[in-house]
Amino acid sequence: MNGAGGTSGGIGQFFIGLIMMCGGFYMLLNAIKITSSFGMGNSLYHVSNFGGLNVTSGMIMIPFIFGVGIMFYNYKNILGWVLTFGSLVALVFGVISSIQFRFTHMSAFDLIVILVLSVGGLGLFLRSFRAIEQRYPDKAK
């Protein structure tokens, strides 16, 4: 009978590693708090090295509006496509770049448990995909 991944690995190692990994990553993601500084009037980008260039969420919509207008007038015009999708990419990038990740207050024991469960479970999970003959060549006979 084949185990995990069609090898003679271990089904028990597979499920134990999967449970450990899911529990550890759940605890890790549960310990992260996400805040955003993006909002009405806040700057999307602030590049002070280039003369204080400040692109806000309202300003990024100007090329988007022109791009949509050009696309509706002539859908073959490449400038309309570039303006529309370029401004959408800039808007998404600006929102993502304004996100801040912070860890909640936890003890060293909590962090060690999270890391052991996550990384240990991942290692056990991946080891289950290797054939037993590859791990222990002398026991294969």
Side-chain angles (χ1 to χ4, degrees):
M1 182 172 118
N2 288 337
T7 66
S8 62
I11 296 177
Q13 288 180 355
F14 175 80
F15 284 115
I16 291 172
L18 183 66
I19 291 168
M20 284 175 60
M21 186 174 57
C22 288
F25 284 133
Y26 171 77
M27 290 170 64
L28 178 68
L29 293 176
N30 199 28
I32 297 174
K33 299 299 177 203
I34 299 172
T35 58
S36 175
S37 61
F38 182 75
M40 297 302 280
N42 287 342
S43 64
L44 205 68
Y45 307 109
H46 184 75
V47 185
S48 60
N49 294 339
F50 300 108
L53 177 65
N54 192 6
V55 181
T56 63
S57 61
M59 289 178 63
I60 200 70
M61 296 310 279
I62 293 171
F64 176 75
I65 292 169
F66 281 115
V68 169
I70 293 170
M71 280 176 49
F72 273 90
Y73 180 72
N74 181 9
Y75 70 92
K76 293 182 180 180
N77 191 343
I78 193 73
L79 179 64
W81 289 94
V82 169
L83 284 174
T84 302
F85 289 107
S87 60
L88 284 177
V89 167
L91 183 66
V92 169
F93 178 74
V95 170
I96 291 174
S97 67
S98 69
I99 294 175
Q100 300 168 355
F101 297 94
R102 295 175 192 213
F103 275 108
T104 59
H105 181 71
M106 68 175 72
S107 66
F109 178 76
D110 294 338
L111 184 61
I112 289 171
V113 168
I114 289 172
L115 293 176
V116 166
L117 283 175
S118 301
V119 179
L122 180 65
L124 197 59
F125 177 78
L126 293 176
R127 187 174 80 173
S128 72
F129 288 111
R130 292 179 52 199
I132 291 176
E133 294 83 22
Q134 289 176 338
R135 286 184 273 164
Y136 308 106
D138 55 335
K139 291 186 180 181
K141 298 175 185 172

